[in-house]
Amino acid sequence: MRSPRIFFLAGFMTTLLPALPQQTAIPPLPDIRELMHEVQEHQKQLEKVRENYTYSSLQTTQDVDSNGQVKKTETQEGEDFFVNGHVIERTVKKNGQPLDDHDQQKETERVTKLVEKAQKTPSDQPLEGQSISVSRVLEIMDVRNPRRETFRGRAAIVFDFAGRKGAQTHGLAEDASKKLQGTIWIDEADRQVAHLEVSFIDNFRVGGGLLANIQKGSNFRFDQTLVNGEVWLPTGAEANMQARLLLVKNMRQHFTESDYDFKRFHVDAQQAKDAKAVVEGKP
């Protein structure tokens, strides 16, 4: 026969069971293509909010020799703002020095033309050059290893991707995408790209290699963060590029961009060509 003590302990443990914390069910991972569609839709919803923000950027470009030694460093500082979903950058300094009167005038003319073009260009189309939508990228890519991680204190959905060699592509941007592999971090709550890392897994020839040959191993990363609890804005980027230009010149560059000093301002209607920020406060 079992001792009374065993029955007592069993009864005591039973009374504790309802008080034990219950595990929260972990939701299943979303379909990656559906997730990226949500990212695009959320981005569109934020476009108008972004046009109420301006920020500063510092870009540093270093020419590097074959031994990794820096041969030359150039910097450029700018003021960035958005027009119709397009980011516009006004250069204010080069190599730490403010632009002189002549260069300021040229920069004003350049920015004015860009603003006019941005106002007429749909937000999902590039201002200059070729572009490729996220949904189209996923058609060219093989997606694998979806998972959850904590990224900068927030829940993120992460997955790897790589270009599919047999994919049918059209245009330079799509052709280049077949040569890429990388990893992307999506903020799970806000459905925004928080971090991206991508690299070339093969050489990519432009113009059959006559114009340029981007070397395998060239890579790029990009970061965004939530500002003022209402809008995601870029915080920085970094790239290491190796290429051969016009079959003659080898180029090795290390590029970094730091974005900071986010400010919120009001505009009456559309972004004016010479708009100035009326600062409400910094995040």
Side-chain angles (χ1 to χ4, degrees), residues 38-90:
E38 292 178 14
V39 169
Q40 288 179 301
E41 290 303 311
H42 281 223
Q43 191 66 43
K44 291 178 181 178
Q45 294 170 13
L46 289 177
E47 284 175 358
K48 291 300 181 183
V49 181
R50 285 178 129 188
E51 294 193 16
N52 289 333
Y53 277 86
T54 183
Y55 59 93
S56 299
S57 64
L58 171 61
Q59 300 172 2
T60 302
T61 303
Q62 296 176 322
D63 291 343
V64 183
D65 64 21
S66 58
N67 296 317
Q69 299 298 312
V70 177
K71 301 185 297 182
K72 180 181 178 182
T73 300
E74 294 182 338
T75 62
Q76 179 173 302
E77 297 175 54
E79 296 174 348
D80 298 57
F81 58 94
F82 293 87
V83 176
N84 195 26
H86 303 284
V87 63
I88 306 290
E89 181 176 275
R90 180 194 299 273

Side-chain angles (χ1 to χ4, degrees), residues 55-229:
Y55 59 93
S56 299
S57 64
L58 171 61
Q59 300 172 2
T60 302
T61 303
Q62 296 176 322
D63 291 343
V64 183
D65 64 21
S66 58
N67 296 317
Q69 299 298 312
V70 177
K71 301 185 297 182
K72 180 181 178 182
T73 300
E74 294 182 338
T75 62
Q76 179 173 302
E77 297 175 54
E79 296 174 348
D80 298 57
F81 58 94
F82 293 87
V83 176
N84 195 26
H86 303 284
V87 63
I88 306 290
E89 181 176 275
R90 180 194 299 273
T91 301
V92 296
K93 288 184 181 180
K94 286 187 176 181
N95 298 321
Q97 299 298 318
L99 300 185
D100 59 29
D101 291 343
H102 175 70
D103 287 341
Q104 283 188 35
Q105 180 62 33
K106 290 176 60 178
E107 184 66 2
T108 297
E109 293 173 358
R110 185 189 70 85
V111 170
T112 298
K113 291 179 181 179
L114 272 180
V115 169
E116 291 174 345
K117 189 173 182 179
Q119 290 172 338
K120 300 174 183 177
T121 304
S123 60
D124 58 351
Q125 296 181 16
L127 283 180
E128 297 174 348
Q130 293 183 313
S131 180
I132 180 171
S133 67
V134 174
S135 58
R136 179 60 180 145
V137 167
L138 290 179
E139 293 175 4
I140 299 170
M141 300 288 181
D142 285 325
V143 177
R144 58 181 182 270
N145 195 24
R147 56 204 184 271
R148 278 190 174 87
E149 293 182 6
T150 299
F151 185 74
R152 294 176 182 155
R154 293 173 63 95
I157 297 173
V158 187
F159 62 88
D160 305 319
F161 58 88
R164 193 168 65 252
K165 292 184 178 180
Q168 296 296 316
T169 56
H170 304 281
L172 190 64
E174 290 191 9
D175 291 343
S177 297
K178 292 169 61 176
K179 306 284 186 178
L180 300 176
Q181 71 175 13
T183 303
I184 188 169
W185 284 254
I186 305 296
D187 185 85
E188 186 165 7
D190 289 359
R191 295 301 203 252
Q192 290 288 331
V193 176
H195 184 66
L196 170 69
E197 296 178 0
V198 65
S199 62
F200 280 85
I201 56 177
D202 197 359
N203 294 344
F204 177 64
R205 295 174 176 82
V206 180
L210 296 176
L211 298 178
N213 185 2
I214 301 175
Q215 301 295 305
K216 174 182 177 180
S218 297
N219 57 77
F220 172 80
R221 72 162 179 82
F222 169 77
D223 288 284
Q224 286 195 127
T225 194
L226 181 63
V227 175
N228 281 346

